[in-house]
Amino acid sequence: RLQKLMRVNALNATYKTKYYALTADKQRPPPQCLFDLRSDPDGTKNLIHDYTYNVGMGSTIQKWGNKVKNVTVEYGPLDERELDDSQASALAKLRSSLSRWIDSQKWVANKVDWTDSLFGEENKMGEVFWPGGIQPQTAAPFFSKPRATNERKDIALVELSSLTHGTVFRHAAVISDDLEKCEQIGSGIKKLMPEMSIFSSGLPATEYTSMRNGLKYIGYYYGVDVNRKIVLSWFIGQYNDCSMFVSSDGTFLEFVCPLLGNVWIFDTRDSTWNGTTWVDLDMNGGWIGTPITFWDASLKKLNFAAFNEYIFGSSRNE
């Protein structure tokens, strides 16, 4: 929404430039920031880096009403020459305090790579975790020969090991009868479907009416009211009353949490917008080409590119 406002007002000479840093496309913070909250209470003027904004123009009218394609920002070099004595003293104190805190931490070093703005260190860490951007595969675990215990004759001990350093093992000791009680889908269905997803779970397809748009769909419904509990967990707590519906063709998903008062709706048609029109859709929203789906059957994983319009798109909050 802020990016949309930026594009709407990119050519508006009266638009307050202090908002530019918040709304430029793919904006990243500069390596260092210093704000004087005495004269700049909102922290919009960085005293040690200049900002240069560039407006990219296209040849067609965009959906925000003008031909602005993007608004980008570039930062100048670190410059402390304009700081007064109190500002320079505050900057030195902040740097010293940060250095002391870093020295007090066991797993943090005072060697920061600023060459890629704020993301240089994260990129290095990501390369360590996933070399070349490829997720490492953990080696299959080894099971030792069962051995008896001294306490109970009906219990045997088995040791787990793996060639992959740092492997975390998860296991459960549940008898088959108790396990069946926990099954929401049914072990019989699972045996027939070795590869399952929310779009192909072996459950019968049912009709569903969207709470957001009122349209009817055919697909799979998950919720506590049908004994298929959906839980939303996040940093402020957990909600146990949520439900989820996915269409059988994989192009529509709706997530409902009544206690939150929210209904999230996702439609792969939204991901076809190319800045001017929706590609491969007719005037009624029907697919002309091959439908885009949220599930990639060939890779057996979610197609996150289909969600990008909601995550990175200019209308992601609408």
Side-chain angles (χ1 to χ4, degrees):
R1 187 171 296 172
L2 289 173
Q3 286 186 342
K4 181 178 180 180
L5 286 174
M6 181 65 183
R7 296 182 184 191
V8 168
N9 291 280
L11 304 177
N12 181 0
T14 63
Y15 189 65
K16 296 182 179 181
T17 56
K18 68 180 183 179
Y19 298 132
Y20 284 10
L22 302 175
T23 54
D25 295 337
K26 299 181 180 179
Q27 194 267 352
R28 293 180 175 182
Q32 299 185 53
C33 293
L34 179 68
F35 304 103
D36 191 334
L37 301 184
R38 298 170 300 181
S39 57
D40 179 24
D42 295 327
T44 59
K45 172 61 177 176
N46 188 355
L47 299 176
I48 52 179
H49 278 285
D50 286 331
Y51 298 4
T52 301
Y53 298 91
N54 302 292
V55 178
M57 302 296 293
S59 59
T60 58
I61 298 293
Q62 303 295 316
K63 55 184 178 181
W64 40 85
N66 57 32
K67 296 183 179 181
V68 175
K69 293 195 305 181
N70 55 58
V71 180
T72 59
V73 59
E74 295 180 359
Y75 302 118
L78 180 68
D79 188 352
E80 305 175 23
R81 292 174 299 177
E82 298 298 324
L83 300 180
D84 60 31
D85 290 342
S86 64
Q87 293 168 343
S89 175
L91 179 60
K93 183 178 180 180
L94 288 170
R95 287 172 173 166
S96 177
S97 298
L98 176 60
S99 181
R100 289 197 305 271
W101 178 85
I102 291 175
D103 291 340
S104 70
Q105 304 301 304
K106 183 177 181 180
W107 303 109
V108 181
N110 196 9
K111 297 178 181 179
V112 181
D113 175 17
W114 298 115
T115 58
D116 186 18
S117 190
L118 194 61
F119 293 84
E121 292 298 307
E122 292 186 1
N123 292 339
K124 286 185 177 180
M125 183 183 297
E127 179 64 24
V128 172
F129 291 161
W130 286 23
I134 300 175
Q135 182 179 9
Q137 296 297 312
T138 302
F142 294 101
F143 297 84
S144 68
K145 184 178 180 179
R147 58 186 176 87
T149 64
N150 295 328
E151 292 79 13
R152 292 182 56 177
K153 295 182 179 180
D154 60 336
I155 294 180
L157 295 180
V158 176
E159 294 182 356
L160 300 178
S161 61
S162 174
L163 295 177
T164 303
H165 178 70
T167 297
V168 177
F169 300 96
R170 298 180 63 184
H171 70 93
V174 182
I175 62 176
S176 57
D177 290 343
D178 289 340
L179 181 61
E180 189 66 28
K181 295 177 183 178
C182 299
E183 290 285 358
Q184 297 188 31
I185 295 177
S187 58
I189 294 177
K190 288 187 174 181
K191 290 179 180 178
L192 297 175
M193 303 183 65
E195 295 177 353
M196 305 181 72
S197 74
I198 58 174
F199 297 96
S200 178
S201 60
L203 297 172
T206 59
E207 186 177 79
Y208 175 82
T209 301
S210 168
M211 295 185 63
R212 175 60 66 85
N213 61 31
L215 299 178
K216 294 184 181 297
Y217 299 86
I218 299 296
Y220 311 104
Y221 178 77
Y222 304 85
V224 67
D225 53 330
V226 292
N227 198 31
R228 300 173 197 137
K229 189 176 181 180
I230 297 290
V231 176
L232 173 64
S233 299
W234 58 346
F235 66 94
I236 64 172
Q238 175 174 299
Y239 293 87
N240 299 308
D241 67 330
C242 303
S243 64
M244 180 174 65
F245 172 82
V246 294
S247 63
S248 55
D249 64 359
T251 64
F252 178 84
L253 188 153
E254 183 166 284
F255 193 74
V256 181
C257 279
L259 285 179
L260 278 174
N262 285 338
V263 179
W264 292 277
I265 183 172
F266 306 94
D267 194 311
T268 57
R269 292 166 178 80
D270 293 332
S271 68
T272 68
W273 178 259
N274 66 358
T276 304
T277 186
W278 282 271
V279 179
D280 288 336
L281 296 177
D282 60 28
M283 295 297 294
N284 297 317
W287 290 96
I288 299 175
T290 301
I292 297 173
T293 61
F294 287 122
W295 179 256
D296 190 321
S298 61
L299 298 178
K300 299 181 177 60
K301 65 179 183 179
L302 288 172
N303 175 20
F304 288 105
F307 289 95
N308 279 354
E309 175 65 20
Y310 304 102
I311 300 173
F312 302 112
S314 58
S315 303
R316 62 188 180 279
N317 289 328
E318 295 182 0

